[in-house]
Amino acid sequence: MDSDETEMREAVRELAGALETMLNLIKADALPATPEAHALMRKAMAFLDESTDLIADPDRPGETLAVATALNRLVVSARDQIFDDAVASSPVPDHPDV
């Protein structure tokens, strides 16, 4: 396997990870509830929209992996913020008395 093929496989994994994370959030009805989470989701969605053509037809070798990795990081950050917000707003204490 040459380096271009390896890089493309990694880019596809990164994109699949980002899309799977977004799909899981939707399935779980884990919607952004705070301004921070909303901002991160808007940023991820805008980045995906802006980079779709670049992902499908990159100008330079290596560009797809960089874009896919950046998108995955944005989506994971949004997911983490959504989960942090859900935990923070939960009425159940972290360590209930036993």
Side-chain angles (χ1 to χ4, degrees), residues 39-72:
L40 286 169
M41 281 304 288
R42 279 194 302 275
K43 189 174 180 180
M45 296 304 292
F47 187 85
L48 177 59
D49 189 44
E50 293 166 4
S51 57
T52 299
D53 291 337
L54 187 61
I55 291 169
D57 188 24
D59 293 333
R60 298 181 313 269
E63 207 164 36
T64 304
L65 179 56
V67 170
T69 301
L71 176 62
N72 198 9

Side-chain angles (χ1 to χ4, degrees), residues 2-97:
D2 65 2
S3 65
D4 287 344
E5 185 178 342
T6 300
E7 188 172 294
M8 186 53 73
R9 287 176 183 266
E10 184 61 28
V12 169
R13 280 189 205 97
E14 291 284 345
L15 287 170
L19 295 173
E20 181 180 17
T21 300
M22 291 173 81
L23 180 61
N24 287 336
L25 288 171
I26 292 166
K27 284 181 177 178
D29 287 329
L31 302 175
T34 63
E36 295 84 3
H38 279 281
L40 286 169
M41 281 304 288
R42 279 194 302 275
K43 189 174 180 180
M45 296 304 292
F47 187 85
L48 177 59
D49 189 44
E50 293 166 4
S51 57
T52 299
D53 291 337
L54 187 61
I55 291 169
D57 188 24
D59 293 333
R60 298 181 313 269
E63 207 164 36
T64 304
L65 179 56
V67 170
T69 301
L71 176 62
N72 198 9
R73 282 190 195 124
L74 282 170
V75 172
V76 167
S77 294
R79 178 201 63 197
D80 291 348
Q81 185 65 52
I82 290 168
F83 289 162
D84 289 349
D85 294 343
V87 169
S89 67
S90 174
V92 178
D94 287 338
H95 304 290
D97 294 334

